[in-house]
Amino acid sequence: MTDRMGLWPVRWDARLLLAVLVLFPFLGLGTPPLFDLDEGAFTASTTEMFLRGDFLSSYLLGEPRYDKPILIYWLQAASVTLFGHGEFAWRLPSALASSAWILATYAFATRVIGRSAGLTAALVIATAAGLAVITRAATADALLNLWLACAGYATWLWMREDDRRWLYAAWLAMALGFLTKGPVALVIPGGAMFLWCASLGEWRRFLAWALPLGPILLFLAVAAPWFIAQTFIEGPGFLAGFFLKHNLSRFDTPMEGHGGNYFYYVPVVLVSLLPHTGLLLAALGRLRAVWQDTLLRYGLLWFLVAFVLFSFSGTKLPHYVYYGYGGLVLVLAAMAERPGRRWLILIPAPLMFGLLLAMPAILAAVAGKLKPDDRLLLTGLPDAFGAAYWLWCGAALLLSLAFLVLRRIDTTRALRLNGLLAGVAMAAFLIPIVGQVQQAPIRNAARLAHDYPGELVLYGIDTPSFQTYAGRAVRKRAPHSGDLVLTRESRLAKLPGAEPVYRERGYVLARMP
């Protein structure tokens, strides 16, 4: 156990690594355009708050948006008010939340396992491939993951130290999570706590956690007022839309085409943890030891709650399973403290860098099977992967292979270097490249549309970032005379007389006669 004065690294290189990891979500933060659908939907909804002059209710393209609670919109509104309506400002709340998530994970893992484990846990969150995307996305998920981590860690400290202040902290974090994304902020910590107590027969402890009067009153004081105000403003339809459609109904049927089979999250987990997937494979080989350790059992059950819950959900998105990663990283960090087969832990890194080097060829092969509009979007794809991409990924592949065979470089250090190489590859190269290919035409058309007269309309496409970049109200409907319409080349023929004013790789901005 590490005392409070000993939480922070002693060696200068460990201090430097922690500082780099905490700041890592800011790498490349403002470089790629906003991604549709998710980043576009969140930022367009916040933009609509400014356009409507209403910062209590969320709307998207003129329609009420009951999908998510209000907290992330408020934070985005504050950020762009202070720093302007650029990509950096839109993503800043998520980056700050991610930095806090990384720091909280380091502090907790250090306190309950040790400093080295704390650095490894922070490393996984900062540099794993899937998390490199979510930690710098202008959505609610980075913020939710912070609150889930704080709730789970505070719960464990309450159990270990019998200090009621940690119980209040856990319920406060769940309240803020509820204001961020709704009931999942209660379900994940509650499910983990229930299963952990059930596995040990600690039913009184579970009831003490689940039914504390003071913490519940704190939860209601923080989470309830906005929901009450929204119900008063929007009527009962808000509660039905939020709780029934956008929460319960997601488990019955796929929404917005986001479905999948029961094994959907198996490859998601394996790929999203790269280059640290070897730690997961090591944990699978030591499940008995993991289960016998009460802390690691807690982390494992926390992960399994999210994994199983969303595996059986009708609606599936890759980042849903990340809600369990606050617990999973504890297991992974413990595996790094007791490394077994070096090759098993380190081999995923060169595999990942090899995959990144093959990515342009893979995308080119896939392009031939896409619809005509999407083939146009990928025009010039080989040029998007410049020399810097090839040099970084090629050097990273060679270094990761060297780390694998040179045993004088210990496994923990090799793991950390691989993580940093992979994190930079994702944040500084791959994500910006994909963003430019996928989203640049929409951003360019929107900036042009900002000064054009007439109403702005989306026709046959769902790209809400068009409203964010245009800074004007956009509607999704059949075009009328005088409208300025963003559509795809294949749909232009359905708009007789439409005069294109801008074209780029399959997207067309056209004036209706």
Side-chain angles (χ1 to χ4, degrees), residues 34-286:
L34 297 168
F35 285 89
D36 288 308
L37 179 64
D38 287 350
E39 282 194 309
F42 277 95
T43 59
S45 188
T46 304
T47 298
E48 201 148 336
M49 288 181 166
F50 287 95
L51 296 173
R52 290 167 51 86
D54 176 6
F55 291 88
L56 192 60
S57 304
S58 57
Y59 280 68
L60 179 61
L61 305 182
E63 299 294 329
R65 189 175 197 234
Y66 297 152
D67 299 40
K68 306 294 182 295
I70 199 66
L71 186 54
I72 188 61
Y73 302 120
W74 283 344
L75 295 178
Q76 288 184 350
S79 181
V80 297
T81 298
L82 291 173
F83 302 107
H85 291 244
E87 288 89 350
F88 179 90
W90 284 117
R91 295 181 175 123
L92 181 59
S94 292
L96 291 171
S98 299
S99 291
W101 178 22
I102 291 165
L103 189 59
T105 300
Y106 165 81
F108 177 76
T110 296
R111 186 167 181 154
V112 298
I113 304 176
R115 291 191 191 95
S116 178
L119 284 172
T120 301
L123 177 81
V124 173
I125 293 173
T127 64
L131 298 182
V133 176
I134 212 68
T135 52
R136 47 182 52 80
T139 66
D141 293 287
L143 189 62
L144 176 63
N145 275 299
L146 168 63
W147 304 135
L148 290 174
C150 290
Y153 299 156
T155 292
W156 182 264
L157 293 175
W158 166 72
M159 291 192 292
R160 192 182 77 159
E161 300 177 8
D162 197 24
D163 185 341
R164 194 168 174 81
R165 288 176 297 182
W166 288 117
L167 189 57
Y168 276 92
W171 278 86
L172 175 60
M174 288 189 288
L176 292 168
F178 204 93
L179 267 180
T180 300
K181 212 164 183 182
V184 69
L186 283 171
V187 172
I188 301 296
M193 186 62 177
F194 175 82
L195 292 177
W196 187 84
C197 290
S199 72
L200 296 171
E202 296 274 0
W203 295 113
R204 289 185 179 180
R205 180 170 287 181
F206 175 73
L207 292 175
W209 179 89
L211 301 173
L213 179 59
I216 289 177
L217 291 176
L218 175 62
F219 176 93
L220 293 174
V222 172
W226 178 78
F227 284 91
I228 294 171
Q230 274 296 94
T231 304
F232 179 79
I233 294 169
E234 301 285 347
F238 163 71
L239 292 179
F242 179 79
F243 287 103
L244 298 181
K245 178 181 178 181
H246 291 291
N247 282 276
L248 290 179
S249 291
R250 287 181 179 270
F251 289 91
D252 295 333
T253 56
M255 295 188 67
E256 299 168 349
H258 299 306
N261 60 38
Y262 294 126
F263 302 101
Y264 175 91
Y265 287 107
V266 173
V268 167
V269 171
L270 294 175
V271 172
S272 68
L273 287 175
L274 287 171
H276 310 298
T277 310
L279 293 174
L280 177 62
L281 301 179
L284 293 175
R286 303 181 197 172

Side-chain angles (χ1 to χ4, degrees), residues 328-360:
L328 181 61
V329 293
L330 302 176
V331 179
L332 303 184
M335 295 303 102
E337 294 300 287
R338 297 169 266 175
R341 299 176 180 176
R342 177 186 175 91
W343 68 268
L344 181 64
I345 292 176
L346 298 183
I347 195 65
L351 293 177
M352 176 183 179
F353 297 129
L355 178 62
L356 290 176
L357 287 171
M359 188 65 67

Side-chain angles (χ1 to χ4, degrees), residues 354-436:
L355 178 62
L356 290 176
L357 287 171
M359 188 65 67
I362 294 172
L363 293 177
V366 170
K369 302 177 183 178
L370 297 177
K371 296 178 180 178
D373 285 331
D374 294 326
R375 287 202 298 272
L376 285 173
L377 185 61
L378 295 181
T379 301
L381 179 65
D383 297 332
F385 294 87
Y389 178 88
W390 295 104
L391 287 173
W392 184 270
C393 294
L397 174 60
L398 294 176
L399 286 171
S400 64
L401 289 171
F403 299 152
L404 184 62
V405 299
L406 296 177
R407 293 188 172 272
R408 63 176 177 270
I409 302 174
D410 67 79
T411 303
T412 300
R413 179 167 296 182
L415 186 73
R416 291 173 182 175
L417 291 170
N418 282 337
L420 293 174
L421 290 169
V424 172
M426 290 292 298
F429 295 104
L430 184 62
I431 295 173
I433 288 170
V434 174
Q436 288 296 324

Side-chain angles (χ1 to χ4, degrees), residues 1-8 110-115 160:
M1 181 178 69
T2 304
D3 60 37
R4 296 184 185 183
M5 296 300 294
L7 283 178
W8 310 114
T110 296
R111 186 167 181 154
V112 298
I113 304 176
R115 291 191 191 95
R160 192 182 77 159

